Amino acid sequence: TVMEITTIKLTKKTKERLDKLKIYNRESYEEVLQKMLNILNTCHINPAKAKEILLDIDKDRKKLSS
């Protein structure tokens, strides 16, 4: 299956905010946005699970930054 690619315009501030959400340097914006959408969808269904996902992401970020 070929994935279609598109371009979106973002303000510099939004790009910087997305950069801060990356767990590792080479993480793509696609990965960051997919992660955000997954958390948002999970939050609607199961807020406790969404919080658990966020805590796991925070742990991963801390591991990689130390």
Side-chain angles (χ1 to χ4, degrees), residues 8-46:
I8 60 172
K9 290 184 179 187
L10 303 171
T11 63
K12 194 169 192 166
K13 183 177 180 179
T14 299
K15 183 199 171 290
E16 290 168 357
R17 291 177 70 192
L18 286 171
D19 286 339
K20 289 179 184 176
L21 293 174
K22 289 182 175 187
I23 292 179
Y24 53 94
N25 244 5
R26 297 191 52 89
E27 187 172 21
S28 70
Y29 293 116
E30 172 75 14
E31 291 171 294
V32 173
L33 291 169
Q34 286 291 337
K35 194 173 12 178
M36 289 172 57
L37 292 169
N38 179 46
I39 293 165
L40 182 61
N41 289 336
T42 302
C43 193
H44 287 295
I45 299 163
N46 185 344

Side-chain angles (χ1 to χ4, degrees), residues 42-56:
T42 302
C43 193
H44 287 295
I45 299 163
N46 185 344
K49 179 66 177 171
K51 183 176 181 179
E52 188 178 311
I53 293 168
L54 288 169
L55 290 172
D56 287 344

